[in-house]
Every structure is written in C-alpha cells, then in structure tokens.
Amino acid sequence: AQKVTQAQTEISVVEKEDVTLDCVYETRDTTYYLFWYKQPPSGELVFLIRRNSFDEQNEISGRYSWNFQKSTSSFNFTITASQVVDSAVYFCAPSLTPTSGTYKYIFGTGTRLKVLA
Amino acid sequence: GAVVSQHPSWVICKSGTSVKIECRSLDFQATTMFWYRQFPKQSLMLMATSNEGSKATYEQGVEKDKFLINHASLTLSTLTVTSAHPEDSSFYICSARMTSGVNNEQFFGPGTRLTVL
C-alpha cells in the first residue's frame, strides 16, 4: 500500500532557526514526482517544491532546500532562517500510481510549524 | 499561469439541501480534476478523480450518489453535495492537472468552506 509518513506532528522554533521537516513514503513506483505544499491559516495550498525521482541531486531555492534519498524513500524539506510568516501546516505529497487509474497525490498527515518571534 | 478558482469560497446551508461547488481552470485545459475534503486539523483526503467527458472515479468510502461530480468541459468540474447534513461540513478543495502536463503536478483551488446547519 502507498503511504506517506510525516512523523513530526508539530514543531515550534524560534525565528531565524533552521528547521527540517521529514517525509517518508512507501511506493513500488520506479519513477514519480514529489511535492511539498504549505497551507497557511487561510487554507489555500501554496506550492513549494517539486522533485522527480530520477534525479537525486539536492537543491536549494532561496531559504528552501530539500534532501531526497530514493534508497530510503525520504524527501525532507528544510527552511533556513525561519520567519514568523513560515508558520503553517506543511504537507509532503508524492504523486504515485494507484493499483488502477491515474497518478494521484498521496498526502502526508502534515506537520504544523510554529515560528515564534 | 496555472490558476484554479473555486466558487463559492464559503457557503452555509440548511440540512437536507443540496450545494454545488464549481472548480475552474482559468488559463489552462484540465482533462483531470480532483476533489478533496479536509476536516479541521487533518490532512487532505481525496474524494474522487474527475475526467472530462467521463464518469468520476470515487475513492473507497465516498458515496457517489451523495457527492455528484460533473466534468463537462476541459475547464470546469462541479461537485454537488446532495441532501447535506452537518457531518458534511468541511473544507472542500479541488485541483486540476494540465492536459499537457509532464510532471503530474496538480494546481489547487483556494477551497470552499461548507457549513451545514
């Protein structure tokens, strides 16, 4: 079965600290895409990053970086120098193939990040 | 680009009435659209996958006769909650995938908050 685990339910950090959000997933797919989204209190999902499974080069984009390890099925997301505006719920969402049908996102349970001033 | 709208953004209705929510891709064509439901402090749960011109595919446990989905064009999908009850109160989010998309990315609408009295 496909499953996404975000073990950290809630994290609190002080502004300017770095924070890493963990994501581990299960899949039999050999190629797939991985996404991270942010959901602020307004409720609208905000796209953060996208990664494909056949490129394990880790990247940095501004204050965001990610570490993808296909061998361990992990896709961790790091915010550097966190800010209060980063406070939100963060979802990891691999796009995987179900038993039948089209590719679809499998959402993790989410990690609530609180950045304190 | 890749904007998805939802209407209405919030709705309050009486128990037993039906409510229709629209999801539109404003600047791209979407063969496939998805409907999610999110209860407070929970993750997004996929309800159904909607393909233009064909019947929707519902996830296990979702009543297709209660949640009617119509995807009559490449830019519009509708979700009708029939005979709504208080337990249907939730945040409903749609997403759309580009017909020409190459990385399975979904573009999300801002969500519709439904309250059934």
Side-chain angles (χ1 to χ4, degrees), chain A residues 33 35 37 39 42-45 47 50 91 95 102-105 107-109 112, chain B residues 34 36 38 41-44 46 49 59 91 93 97 102-106 108 110:
Chain A
Y33 288 89
F35 300 85
Y37 289 87
Q39 188 177 40
S42 65
E44 184 165 0
L45 284 173
F47 167 80
R50 173 181 61 243
F91 291 102
S95 178
T102 186
Y103 280 98
K104 57 184 180 181
Y105 284 8
F107 276 90
T109 48
R112 183 174 301 274
Chain B
F34 303 85
Y36 297 85
Q38 186 181 31
K41 298 197 175 184
Q42 293 188 23
S43 185
L44 282 75
L46 180 65
T49 302
E59 295 298 302
F91 191 52
I93 304 171
R97 190 164 66 206
V102 297
N103 54 27
N104 301 328
E105 184 171 353
Q106 296 178 27
F108 289 85

Side-chain angles (χ1 to χ4, degrees), chain B residues 26-100:
Chain B
L26 298 184
D27 51 3
F28 66 97
Q29 293 186 331
T31 304
T32 305
M33 290 185 171
F34 303 85
W35 287 95
Y36 297 85
R37 180 168 53 180
Q38 186 181 31
F39 292 109
K41 298 197 175 184
Q42 293 188 23
S43 185
L44 282 75
M45 297 301 298
L46 180 65
M47 299 174 66
T49 302
S50 164
N51 290 297
E52 185 265 340
S54 63
K55 291 183 179 180
T57 302
Y58 291 82
E59 295 298 302
Q60 194 171 6
V62 177
E63 300 174 59
K64 61 180 180 181
D65 294 331
K66 180 170 183 62
F67 299 99
L68 302 179
I69 292 173
N70 184 280
H71 191 162
S73 79
L74 288 173
T75 58
L76 173 64
S77 177
T78 60
L79 168 68
T80 301
V81 183
T82 62
S83 187
H85 291 284
E87 56 266 30
D88 298 323
S89 297
S90 187
F91 191 52
Y92 291 86
I93 304 171
C94 75
S95 70
R97 190 164 66 206
M98 287 185 178
T99 300
S100 59

Side-chain angles (χ1 to χ4, degrees), chain A residues 39 82 84 97 113:
Chain A
Q39 188 177 40
S82 60
V84 173
T97 313
L113 173 65

Side-chain angles (χ1 to χ4, degrees), chain A residues 8 14 20 47-48 51 61-62 74 78-79 82-83 87 89 91 93 103 116:
Chain A
Q8 305 145 308
V14 177
T20 295
F47 167 80
L48 295 174
R51 191 81 201 143
S61 176
S74 67
T78 297
I79 303 174
S82 60
Q83 300 174 1
S87 298
V89 180
F91 291 102
Y103 280 98
L116 308 173

Side-chain angles (χ1 to χ4, degrees), chain A:
Chain A
Q2 297 161 327
K3 181 181 174 183
V4 180
T5 301
Q6 293 182 249
Q8 305 145 308
T9 304
E10 186 167 319
I11 300 176
S12 290
V13 299
V14 177
E15 205 170 19
K16 297 184 182 178
E17 285 186 4
D18 299 346
V19 58
T20 295
L21 309 180
D22 299 333
C23 174
V24 176
Y25 55 93
E26 299 174 11
T27 183
R28 291 182 179 178
D29 291 5
T30 54
T31 60
Y32 45 89
Y33 288 89
L34 301 141
F35 300 85
W36 273 95
Y37 289 87
K38 167 184 175 180
Q39 188 177 40
S42 65
E44 184 165 0
L45 284 173
V46 177
F47 167 80
L48 295 174
I49 57 174
R50 173 181 61 243
R51 191 81 201 143
N52 63 57
S53 63
F54 39 91
D55 182 358
E56 292 200 50
Q57 181 178 359
N58 295 309
E59 295 181 21
I60 298 174
S61 176
R63 294 190 299 114
Y64 300 152
S65 62
W66 49 97
N67 186 305
F68 171 53
Q69 299 285 337
K70 192 171 184 179
S71 60
T72 57
S73 296
S74 67
F75 184 46
N76 299 334
F77 175 68
T78 297
I79 303 174
T80 303
S82 60
Q83 300 174 1
V84 173
V85 293
D86 295 327
S87 298
V89 180
Y90 288 78
F91 291 102
C92 174
S95 178
L96 304 173
T97 313
T99 305
S100 61
T102 186
Y103 280 98
K104 57 184 180 181
Y105 284 8
I106 309 296
F107 276 90
T109 48
T111 297
R112 183 174 301 274
L113 173 65
K114 292 183 179 180
V115 181
L116 308 173

